[in-house]
Amino acid sequence: MLDIILRNLSQRKVRTGLTVFGIALGIFAVIVMGSMSENFNQTFETSFSLTADKIRVFGSSGVFGGSVTTGKAAEVRKVPGVKDAYGLLMAPLEEGGAMSFGGNQIVGLPPEKSQTVLGPVKVKQGRFLMRGDRYETMIGTSIATQYNIGVGDRIEIRDKYFTVVGLLEYTGSFFDATAAVPLDSAQDVYDMGDMVSMIFVIPDDGVDGDLLARRIKLSVEGVDTLSPSELEKEARQSLMIFSVITVSAAVLAAIIGGLSVMNTMLMSVMERTKEFGILKAMGAERRDILIMTVGEAAIMGLLGGLLGLACGWVVVYGMNLWLAEKGIVLFLITYRLVAIAMLFAILLGTLSGIYPALRASRMSPMEALRYE
Amino acid sequence: MNNAKADIILKTRGLKETYMQGKVPVHALQGVDMEVKRGELISIVGPSGSGKSTLLSIIGMLEIPTEGEVFIDGVEVTGVKVKDIPRLRREKIGFVFQHFNLLPALTALGNVEIAMRFARVPKKERIRRATEVLTEMGLGERLNHKPSELSGGEQQRVSIARALANKPSIILADEPTGEVDTRTRDLIVGILRRLSDGGQTVIIVTHDVWVAERTDRIIRLVDGKVEDS
Ligand SMILES: Nc1ncnc2c1ncn2[C@@H]1O[C@H](COP(=O)(O)OP(=O)(O)OP(=O)(O)O)[C@@H](O)[C@H]1O
Ligand SMILES: [Mg+2]
């Protein structure tokens, strides 16, 4: 039956081509948008796994309230089960920059603690910060590429120059876009006084993070905590929203491709009314007609999927190369994404073919034969 | 007449077909009773609109009669389930049309071979059988020609070969000589005669007296009824 299907498709080359192109556009969108979403997903997974066991403590007025001071860290440290606790100040690196996916940020931390905070990440070159450092900084790979700097160079942060003493390994997480500086300097440069963004809590070995988070919240006044599981939940939620937005835009594009398949198939089924009549007179079963017509639609879906995938891959690859110079990674094509996109393309073709196929298979043979 | 011709292969009883043309009923058939013996070559004649094509399409199970029964090989085909009809059609009926109705994209071989696909005949066997019947029709040299590359007479022979592919018991031909010249007409009637001599039943609808006179028996339809001759 496949030979007949392919013959029918190749007989209407222009029409088949246009329809395949329609699907390809949709799948192209799915690949490009999807790979963006996949990249954020992966960044999050890595970032999360690198800091999974830590508890974050905020001022109770909110996550970004910043209304927690270095002094609170001492109180938190006294809670049983806490191994260590200290303030961190996070802020956008560039003036007017946003603290969001992909933006560069600074982290102000007690210099002697840099190994613990950044610990899961290896040092590629140079050293961690240490006690006594003031205008020294450690930077991630994205910042290094973007500013074209390395160990020994200087970087300007809000009118002050910081000397790069260490370069972090590439992780595929937010650490890549992070410059770590001593907390005191950060508070000075950003005019934050004694404020910190949050208190970073390291639990004693074997202590349950969620329980400890609850205990801290109860024993220290005016703070909120984000346990590892809460953090994960929160982050997953915003990630999910992002995924839904990007993916639904892409799916919409693909559905339009599907409608064009349906349109094409309806047209060619009508045109071939007489042919179906002849086939039925020769004893074709309804099933034969169905397979023939749905098969055509499914193959257009498959071809569109392959074409869209190829174009999407080329564009994503090109964009990644181009963005790499700027130290940004924005797209990630995963096996999962490829599988979903292809499955979607074939399913779309098949589903759009079902209605035209049913019409073809239901025609009365006599009427079909009389059709001119 | 030999014994094989004695048994009844086709019988209709009280066949009626009424079409609705908008709100006006058209009585295309008004009670047709007929019997055809195995191996007979018969013709159905009658004025235009008398119901000849309608009768043929009901016998060929392309249409369901409003009333009445059709028996083929003792099976009441008007009473079987809809899903069994394609199989019965393949086994019992071969169609030959006035306008040939070949698929233009397929070669002669392809047109004959496709008929056997629906019967799930394996590919090798399909090619062998299609080559065989086409050669019998004198088209051994034309296997790979498309319909557009064949003369009217050749196209009609391809369509006869297609009708024969599944070895049906009855060949139904609706004006098979309506679009060919007299020389080809003689050739086609000769072929149909040979099939009948070989034991196959052939029913021809025709306007051509010359053709009708060369069949075993003539059934005359007038206003949807068989006229006694
Ligand atoms: N699908 C249909 N809907 C309505 N009326 C129909 C339909 N098919 C046939 N008829 C009518 O039924 C009658 C018989 O038609 P049929 O085609 O059987 O005649 P015929 O004897 O084959 O004529 P001809 O010699 O011109 O081919 C005609 O009056 C025709 O108009
Ligand atoms: Mg007719």
Side-chain angles (χ1 to χ4, degrees), chain A residues 57 72 75-76 79 215-223:
Chain A
V57 176
K72 279 273 185 244
E75 273 182 66
V76 172
V79 177
R215 203 176 312 147
I216 293 170
K217 191 173 168 174
L218 291 174
S219 27
V220 181
E221 215 174 307
V223 299

Side-chain angles (χ1 to χ4, degrees), chain A residues 76-369:
Chain A
V76 172
R77 213 172 294 137
K78 286 194 199 106
V79 177
V82 173
K83 188 173 182 181
D84 202 356
Y86 36 82
L88 297 183
L89 180 67
M90 271 115 124
L93 173 63
E94 290 93 7
E95 208 128 12
M99 289 274 288
S100 65
F101 291 114
N104 294 323
Q105 57 167 354
I106 64 110
V107 175
L109 42 74
E112 69 277 12
K113 306 289 186 194
S114 68
Q115 197 146 2
T116 334
V117 178
L118 306 172
V121 187
K122 290 194 186 69
V123 179
K124 189 176 171 192
Q125 215 187 342
R127 61 167 175 85
F128 279 108
L129 297 178
M130 53 194 202
R131 194 181 298 276
D133 278 343
R134 188 136 176 87
Y135 290 104
E136 277 77 23
T137 178
M138 287 191 82
I139 58 173
T141 46
S142 291
I143 295 181
T145 326
Q146 216 171 321
Y147 286 79
N148 193 22
I149 49 176
V151 172
D153 293 329
R154 293 196 310 166
I155 177 172
E156 187 182 358
I157 302 175
R158 307 284 153 114
D159 301 335
K160 283 276 189 316
Y161 283 95
F162 286 73
T163 307
V164 177
V165 294
L167 187 60
L168 294 167
E169 286 256 20
Y170 174 78
T171 54
S173 72
F174 65 75
F175 283 119
D176 301 334
T178 295
V181 297
L183 181 59
D184 295 341
S185 316
Q187 283 170 335
D188 277 357
V189 175
Y190 284 85
D191 241 346
M192 296 300 283
D194 198 24
M195 299 288 202
V196 291
S197 308
M198 66 176 189
I199 296 164
F200 201 58
V201 179
I202 296 144
D204 272 331
D205 290 342
V207 171
D208 180 83
D210 290 319
L211 282 177
L212 183 58
R214 196 118 37 92
R215 203 176 312 147
I216 293 170
K217 191 173 168 174
L218 291 174
S219 27
V220 181
E221 215 174 307
V223 299
D224 261 332
T225 57
L226 206 54
S227 72
S229 61
E230 283 166 336
L231 178 72
E232 186 174 2
K233 216 172 87 191
E234 212 155 286
R236 273 194 206 290
Q237 239 161 31
S238 43
L239 214 62
M240 180 71 101
I241 291 168
F242 180 78
S243 295
V244 166
I245 291 171
T246 51
V247 171
S248 53
V251 165
L252 197 73
I255 285 174
I256 293 169
L259 287 178
S260 89
V261 173
M262 192 180 296
N263 189 39
T264 304
M265 288 310 298
L266 273 176
M267 221 155 88
S268 77
V269 163
M270 297 303 265
E271 280 171 9
R272 280 187 282 162
T273 300
K274 180 128 189 184
E275 183 176 325
F276 292 127
I278 298 168
L279 294 177
K280 282 182 180 175
M282 287 192 289
E285 307 268 349
R286 274 192 65 176
R287 187 182 41 170
D288 295 318
I289 307 281
L290 274 176
I291 292 175
M292 255 156 108
T293 2
V294 171
E296 275 181 38
I299 288 194
M300 285 198 276
L302 174 72
L303 291 178
L306 287 173
L307 186 65
L309 179 63
C311 294
W313 189 84
V314 166
V315 166
V316 162
Y317 186 79
M319 289 288 279
N320 269 348
L321 271 187
W322 183 63
L323 288 172
E325 285 172 25
K326 300 180 162 46
I328 303 170
V329 180
L330 195 54
F331 304 98
L332 177 72
I333 294 185
T334 55
Y335 286 119
R336 177 173 77 163
L337 180 63
V338 170
I340 289 174
M342 284 311 295
L343 211 72
F344 185 62
I346 297 170
L347 209 70
L348 203 66
T350 309
L351 287 178
S352 328
I354 286 178
Y355 171 66
L358 281 175
R359 280 185 66 149
S361 76
R362 279 192 190 135
M363 281 176 205
S364 127
M366 200 54 220
E367 258 154 50
L369 276 171

Side-chain angles (χ1 to χ4, degrees), chain A residues 366-367 370, chain B residues 17-22 24 26-29 44-57 63 98 174-175 205-207 221 224:
Chain A
M366 200 54 220
E367 258 154 50
R370 278 179 204 261
Chain B
E17 179 72 60
T18 306
Y19 296 111
M20 293 305 291
Q21 211 131 45
V24 188
V26 179
H27 302 288
L29 296 180
I44 300 177
V45 300
S48 185
S50 56
K52 305 181 296 291
S53 295
T54 305
L55 178 59
L56 224 53
S57 62
E63 248 173 321
Q98 176 179 3
D174 198 344
E175 297 187 39
V205 164
T206 185
H207 282 126
L221 270 191

